[in-house]
Amino acid sequence: MKIGVTCYPTVGGSGTVATELGLAIAKRGHEVHFICYAMPYRLGRVPPGVTFHEVTVPAYPLFQYPPYSLALASQMAEAVRSHGIELLHVHYAIPHAVSAHLAREILGNGPKLVVTLHGTDITVVGADPSFLPIVRLGIERADVVTAVSRSLANQTHELLGVKREIEVIPNFVDPDRCDRDFAAAHRRRLSPDGAPLLVHASNFRPVKRVMDVLEIFRRVHARIPSHLAMVGDGPDRPPAERFAREAGIADRVEFLGNVSPVEGVIGAGDVFLLPSSEESFGLAALEAMACGVPVVASNAGGIPELVVDGEGGFTLPVGDTAAMSERVVALLSDPKELATQRERARLRATGTFGTVRVVDQYEALYRRLLGS
Ligand code: GMT
């Protein structure tokens, strides 16, 4: 099969999933073309069978807002024409679903189109009245729409008034990315005194509630001296660093920015924190579980589809930092239970959300659409 993939190339869950899926599909002998405005951050060394098409948006004094969506549509049509791409798979609806729809209009007899919804493309940006009608059009015109959780599929129906069927294919993780020695080296630096290490990783946007992460840590640290590693970057990082200083925990909290591979730091932790207000899936939590790190999270969105109480993690109501810190303290105070949850986290991540199992579902979907 010849598959075109469009995603945001920057650090983030949708780009990670899109890239890992494309690489896995290429490994199975198919041809994969990434059509993006920059090389996806996760692509690394480009293996045989994978081609990158860069979308460039010309500047022109009249354009206050350069029309990326249109340049993308043209580049998609061009790549399809030149390489015989049979199916476009776009990740994150805005604007990719609409650009792909336009590319098919340009081509007349265009490729099949799969749209995968990831989260804020529906729950935050997509539900905004300035985008809602065009996002709904992009979703309605695709051949198949998938969502990364049942919760996100339901929200797409409710918030956007979409009527069509949406298939659920969860995110996946490759446990081989967890390198114990590398994680141990990180741990030695992040917790030089051997105290417990809590970890959070996100894009530091408001939905991640990073102040809750710090508040949970403040409460835990008051009872069990610990350390906290904050991985990632985004708009709430400066206020979070201020909060840590004002709460008197700055010497126990390390803001690392974006790190690669992220599993190195995540895998160094004892507990991973994800107290988000919106979360369609929570890929970072899955990465933590795959490395044997139990998760204490909010019960927002699709998180409970991943984190099942007692199966390598626990979910609690959004904003309940007291209950979340109690849960962390309970885990850290009981080494036997912590070891059990570590093992269960690993089993759940690699069983239900293992790469082969999930990539099989996408490959079957492509074959179904292409009749191959
Ligand atoms: O929507 C975002 O803020 C970013 C987006 C992304 O591109 O990383 O994250 C979403 O997609 C991930 C991959 O499917 C999910 O694991 C995240 O839960 C989801 N984020 C939200 O729903 C907030």
Side-chain angles (χ1 to χ4, degrees), residues 292-303:
V293 179
V295 172
V296 172
S298 69
N299 56 7
I303 295 178

Side-chain angles (χ1 to χ4, degrees), residues 28 65 82 101 120 138 147 348 371:
R28 292 179 180 202
Y65 306 106
S82 321
H101 167 58
T120 52
R348 177 152 175 79

Side-chain angles (χ1 to χ4, degrees), residues 179-201:
D179 177 337
R180 277 173 196 242
D181 293 341
F182 194 53
H186 272 293
R187 187 177 175 106
R188 280 194 293 278
R189 213 191 69 74
L190 292 165
S191 174
D193 56 2
L197 175 66
L198 311 189
V199 181
H200 168 78

Side-chain angles (χ1 to χ4, degrees), residues 12-14 92 118-120 148 171 203 205 278-283:
S14 61
Y92 206 88
H118 279 273
T120 52
V148 297
N171 288 332
N203 51 19
R205 301 237 172 88
E278 298 275 354
E279 201 70 69
S280 66
F281 183 87
L283 184 66

Side-chain angles (χ1 to χ4, degrees), residues 2-7 33 35 72-73 76-77 80 85-117 134-147 164-167 169 362 365-371:
K2 295 186 180 189
I3 311 294
V5 177
T6 292
C7 62
H33 297 260
I35 309 163
L72 174 60
M76 281 171 161
V80 168
I85 292 170
E86 303 159 281
L87 185 149
L88 287 173
H89 186 172
V90 303
H91 294 259
Y92 206 88
I94 304 173
H96 305 147
V98 181
S99 299
H101 167 58
L102 286 176
R104 298 210 298 178
E105 288 288 309
I106 294 168
L107 293 161
N109 187 18
K112 297 291 182 192
L113 174 57
V114 176
V115 174
T116 292
L117 310 174
I134 195 73
V135 178
R136 189 162 51 203
L137 177 92
I139 291 173
E140 298 287 7
R141 294 296 157 89
D143 293 302
V144 170
V145 178
T146 73
R164 65 168 301 155
E165 188 198 349
I166 298 174
E167 298 181 27
I169 303 184
Y362 279 115
L365 163 58
Y366 296 166
R367 287 194 188 283
R368 194 175 88 215
L369 276 174
L370 296 178

Side-chain angles (χ1 to χ4, degrees), residues 35-245:
I35 309 163
C36 310
Y37 66 76
M39 183 88 88
Y41 89 99
R42 190 70 172 243
L43 206 46
R45 277 153 39 119
V46 179
V50 173
T51 308
F52 172 59
H53 305 255
E54 185 173 343
V55 179
T56 50
V57 190
Y60 187 66
L62 196 61
F63 297 157
Q64 189 180 351
Y65 306 106
Y68 160 66
S69 322
L70 303 183
L72 174 60
S74 298
Q75 182 66 63
M76 281 171 161
E78 182 52 35
V80 168
R81 245 192 227 117
S82 321
H83 296 271
I85 292 170
E86 303 159 281
L87 185 149
L88 287 173
H89 186 172
V90 303
H91 294 259
Y92 206 88
I94 304 173
H96 305 147
V98 181
S99 299
H101 167 58
L102 286 176
R104 298 210 298 178
E105 288 288 309
I106 294 168
L107 293 161
N109 187 18
K112 297 291 182 192
L113 174 57
V114 176
V115 174
T116 292
L117 310 174
H118 279 273
T120 52
D121 48 350
I122 300 302
T123 56
V124 179
V125 202
D128 188 292
S130 25
F131 289 115
L132 194 152
I134 195 73
V135 178
R136 189 162 51 203
L137 177 92
I139 291 173
E140 298 287 7
R141 294 296 157 89
D143 293 302
V144 170
V145 178
T146 73
V148 297
S149 64
R150 172 55 51 204
S151 157
L152 183 60
N154 292 343
Q155 282 186 297
T156 307
H157 289 130
E158 286 154 21
L159 295 173
L160 268 62
V162 166
K163 300 272 186 291
R164 65 168 301 155
E165 188 198 349
I166 298 174
E167 298 181 27
V168 176
I169 303 184
N171 288 332
F172 58 94
V173 71
D174 176 4
D176 289 347
R177 290 182 61 87
C178 301
D179 177 337
R180 277 173 196 242
D181 293 341
F182 194 53
H186 272 293
R187 187 177 175 106
R188 280 194 293 278
R189 213 191 69 74
L190 292 165
S191 174
D193 56 2
L197 175 66
L198 311 189
V199 181
H200 168 78
S202 75
N203 51 19
F204 285 59
R205 301 237 172 88
V207 292
K208 303 293 178 177
R209 294 182 71 99
V210 288
M211 300 324 159
D212 280 9
V213 175
L214 294 166
E215 178 55 19
I216 295 164
F217 174 73
R218 193 188 64 75
R219 287 166 179 265
V220 171
H221 177 58
R223 292 168 62 187
I224 303 177
S226 314
H227 298 273
L228 172 65
M230 299 285 280
V231 180
D233 218 328
D236 281 352
R237 180 171 168 185
E241 297 211 30
R242 204 176 320 122
F243 182 103
R245 282 194 301 275

